[in-house]
Amino acid sequence: MGTQLALVSCPASPFCVDSLFPDADWALLAGQLQAAGVDARVFDYGTPASLERLYPPELRERAARLLNGENGGTGRDWMSRMGGSSRVLGQRLQVLAADVARDLAAQGPPRVVCLRMSAQEGALMCRYIARAVKRSAPGAVALLDASNAAAVRPGAHDEVFDGVLGGDAHAALLAVCRHPANPDRWPASVRLPGAGGAAETHKPASLVLSSGECYEAALYPAAERGTKFNVFTIGTLRRPGNPWQSAGRVLRNVETLHQAHGVRAFCFGAGAVNPEAINSLAVILRDWGLPLSTAWRLRPEHMTAGALLRLAQSGAVALGWSVPTGSQRLAEDVYGRTYSVSAAEKLLRRARDLDMLSSVHLRFPHAADDAHTRAESMRLVRRSGALGAVIHSAITQEGGSPPPIRPLAAETLWRRYRILSGEGWQGQWSAAVRRLFDPHHPGDAAHLLAEISREGHAPYMCERLMLTAHLAGFRDSPRDFLRGLWRALLTGSTDDLTALVEQVNKRARGPIAMAAPSIAALRTAVGN
């Protein structure tokens, strides 16, 4: 009998950087579904080997000439500039899709296949794989998870997909796996727009949320083989009213990954957790005696100078700060945050003094932004000494609720490469024109990112990438690391990419024994 559920991570073309890391969401979902009795497995094709299969030698040469300044085709996107490469790439995508379908059917065809695209450009690859799977297993259910893309363009919902995931993916997949041949039993959020069936009336099936990310070789072989960056994400700590992950579970995941694979590079997505839990976990990691290299996502209102010191002592290398704006007024009135902008700047400078790298996560532009608030955000990046900055789009919500974080639409790897290389980017044409006639218009995210890059900060450099740059030996020059990584992805230089992955993984692993933490310290971290 084959795998009941295949979770497939499909790379975009060109590859996005995130596809080179183990997919924490897929790993967490696989672990939870396994705990619920579903035979799930992750098939991750974000590897240098997949990139090599996509890029033939002539395509690599053409891409390298274009990046070196030679003229290519016309158009704003990378493949248009590459001239007639779309046809070649399309053929390669279909060949890779057929290989993926054969991989899925090797141990028996799966009953349900869920495809996730790492970026908007991966939608075509998802459709090719879905068609190939349905040819090899006509009864299989093909679902599209577009949670990592800004939106699904019209046409993505075609006949190859039986549904598109939305809302609670965990409960939705559990319902589909239990009733694959009966779409009427699926949640309404899974059905295609315009599909028949009654409105949502049933209560979504619940999952066992005590399971953490599952990176075991049997469930996630790509993460274990060393073909991806061995920088593993451990989910959020306990939040009020949300039993995602306790600190004890986080520690057990760290221990399990280290003992199984020698891994000692982790990203902790702390987010809006209890500050005492972060502090206690840092103390335990410090006292373990294991030389960890870690990255953390933090909020300034939850941190103190003492907590920063304990993070540094526990092995923290990079910190990502959730600071949506440098405007005190917008922070309080729009985002409902309680941090002081001046205090946040002091914390980031303190982190720099403790030899930790910082990245600022901004939201821009909001409807309430203007040229003044934009300048305040830029001043925050400048005065804080942050090494990197990431901008998430701010979508105004009706009713005054805070805007969610979404990936930037219309952003491609080529545009990011140009901004990082100092070539700039005009951004959305309408925003550029409006700014000519309205000096108070804040512009768009591309304008702000170009200014961030011109002042020497690393645009798009999140805490995970800073940690990876540190492991690759680029701690003092992360911009060079990011530029080289993006160039390898754009040109299909698999030799350079493989060497970089091997270099990172060599430092991310280590045969160091781990001592058990004290029970008293563990109780403090867990909160009982």
Side-chain angles (χ1 to χ4, degrees):
M1 181 177 177
T3 303
Q4 187 175 2
L5 171 64
L7 302 170
V8 183
S9 182
C10 306
S13 181
F15 268 40
C16 70
V17 173
D18 287 346
S19 64
L20 297 174
F21 292 89
D23 192 324
D25 292 337
W26 250 202
L28 179 62
L29 183 57
Q32 293 172 347
L33 290 170
Q34 282 283 342
V38 176
D39 181 16
R41 188 180 182 192
V42 178
F43 294 81
D44 192 336
Y45 291 91
T47 63
S50 297
L51 182 65
E52 185 174 22
R53 293 154 78 181
L54 284 178
Y55 271 69
E58 63 271 16
L59 200 61
R60 299 175 201 170
E61 295 173 2
R62 189 178 305 169
R65 289 197 302 268
L66 181 57
L67 283 186
N68 289 335
E70 299 182 24
N71 293 330
T74 60
R76 295 178 63 181
D77 65 274
W78 175 247
M79 293 313 299
S80 298
R81 302 283 298 180
M82 288 278 285
S85 304
S86 297
R87 178 182 56 83
V88 177
L89 182 61
Q91 295 172 349
R92 290 278 177 153
L93 285 173
Q94 294 185 56
V95 172
L96 179 57
D99 293 341
V100 171
R102 281 192 290 270
D103 291 345
L104 298 180
Q107 297 179 354
R111 298 171 63 188
V112 180
V113 177
C114 187
L115 303 161
R116 164 177 285 180
M117 48 187 176
S118 56
Q120 181 61 60
E121 293 78 10
L124 181 61
M125 182 64 175
C126 288
R127 289 200 290 274
Y128 285 154
I129 293 176
R131 291 194 184 102
V133 168
K134 284 184 171 291
R135 283 195 297 267
S136 61
V141 174
L143 302 176
L144 174 66
D145 174 19
S147 60
N148 276 3
V152 180
R153 293 189 182 117
H157 300 152
D158 55 27
E159 70 282 357
V160 301
F161 294 114
D162 298 293
V164 176
L165 286 186
D168 186 354
H170 313 87
L173 279 174
L174 185 58
V176 173
C177 289
R178 288 176 174 173
H179 310 284
N182 189 359
D184 291 336
R185 302 288 300 274
W186 301 353
S189 59
V190 178
R191 303 186 192 123
L192 293 176
E200 181 79 13
T201 57
H202 71 282
K203 180 180 179 180
S206 61
L207 281 168
V208 179
L209 295 181
S210 60
S211 299
E213 294 84 354
C214 188
Y215 294 111
E216 295 178 5
L219 270 66
Y220 201 147
E224 191 272 339
R225 292 172 185 157
T227 56
K228 303 176 74 69
F229 286 132
N230 288 153
V231 179
F232 291 87
T233 297
I234 305 296
T236 57
L237 307 178
R238 177 172 296 170
R239 289 182 268 179
N242 185 357
W244 253 145
Q245 295 260 60
S246 68
R249 169 61 65 177
V250 172
L251 294 168
R252 284 191 290 273
N253 287 344
V254 169
E255 184 176 17
T256 299
L257 281 169
H258 174 71
Q259 290 182 344
H261 310 300
V263 176
R264 48 191 177 92
F266 303 96
C267 291
F268 297 117
V273 303
N274 187 320
E276 287 77 16
I278 298 177
N279 189 67
S280 298
L281 179 58
V283 170
I284 295 173
L285 293 176
R286 179 197 65 190
D287 294 344
W288 248 338
L290 177 69
L292 295 175
S293 296
T294 61
W296 296 73
R297 176 73 63 86
L298 304 169
R299 288 192 173 196
E301 59 264 47
H302 292 163
M303 294 302 296
T304 63
L308 280 179
L309 175 60
R310 282 179 278 278
L311 282 178
Q313 293 170 339
S314 70
V317 171
L319 307 177
W321 297 90
S322 174
V323 186
T325 176
S327 166
Q328 191 68 56
R329 176 179 60 84
L330 293 187
E332 297 173 0
D333 297 344
V334 174
Y335 297 100
R337 298 285 293 275
T338 60
Y339 67 85
S340 162
V341 172
S342 59
E345 293 174 358
K346 291 179 181 178
L347 279 172
L348 268 70
R349 289 196 294 269
R350 175 60 176 162
R352 181 188 58 190
D353 294 341
L354 291 171
D355 204 25
M356 291 185 289
L357 312 175
S358 287
S359 175
V360 177
H361 289 258
L362 298 167
R363 287 177 174 176
F364 183 84
H366 188 271
D369 271 307
D370 55 24
H372 180 68
T373 59
R374 178 185 186 275
E376 288 180 311
S377 293
M378 187 63 227
R379 184 170 63 246
L380 167 70
V381 175
R382 185 186 305 118
R383 293 176 57 178
S384 66
L387 189 64
V390 181
I391 296 181
H392 306 269
S393 60
I395 309 299
T396 304
Q397 298 293 292
E398 296 181 1
S401 57
I405 289 180
R406 294 185 179 179
L408 283 171
E411 281 287 324
T412 67
L413 187 59
W414 176 51
R415 298 180 193 181
R416 296 184 176 198
Y417 182 85
R418 290 189 62 190
I419 290 174
L420 183 67
S421 301
E423 299 178 31
W425 183 255
Q426 293 302 315
Q428 296 295 329
W429 183 84
S430 59
V433 171
R434 284 182 61 188
R435 204 172 182 201
L436 288 175
F437 293 96
D438 180 7
H440 300 292
H441 188 266
D444 61 11
H447 291 117
L448 182 54
L449 284 165
E451 183 177 355
I452 288 171
S453 182
R454 285 194 300 270
E455 295 208 7
H457 308 278
Y460 309 104
M461 180 67 80
C462 65
E463 62 276 9
R464 182 170 67 174
L465 282 175
M466 287 194 295
L467 172 59
T468 309
H470 164 77
L471 295 171
F474 287 85
R475 180 186 177 88
D476 297 327
S477 54
R479 289 171 62 97
D480 294 339
F481 164 79
L482 196 55
R483 186 182 294 109
L485 177 59
W486 283 353
R487 184 180 181 89
L489 294 176
L490 284 169
T491 61
S493 179
T494 53
D495 290 340
D496 293 342
L497 186 60
T498 300
L500 192 59
V501 170
E502 291 177 350
Q503 185 175 0
V504 169
N505 291 349
K506 183 178 180 180
R507 295 190 62 185
R509 294 169 177 257
I512 303 172
M514 175 181 287
S518 67
I519 297 299
L522 187 59
R523 284 174 178 165
T524 301
V526 176
N528 59 355

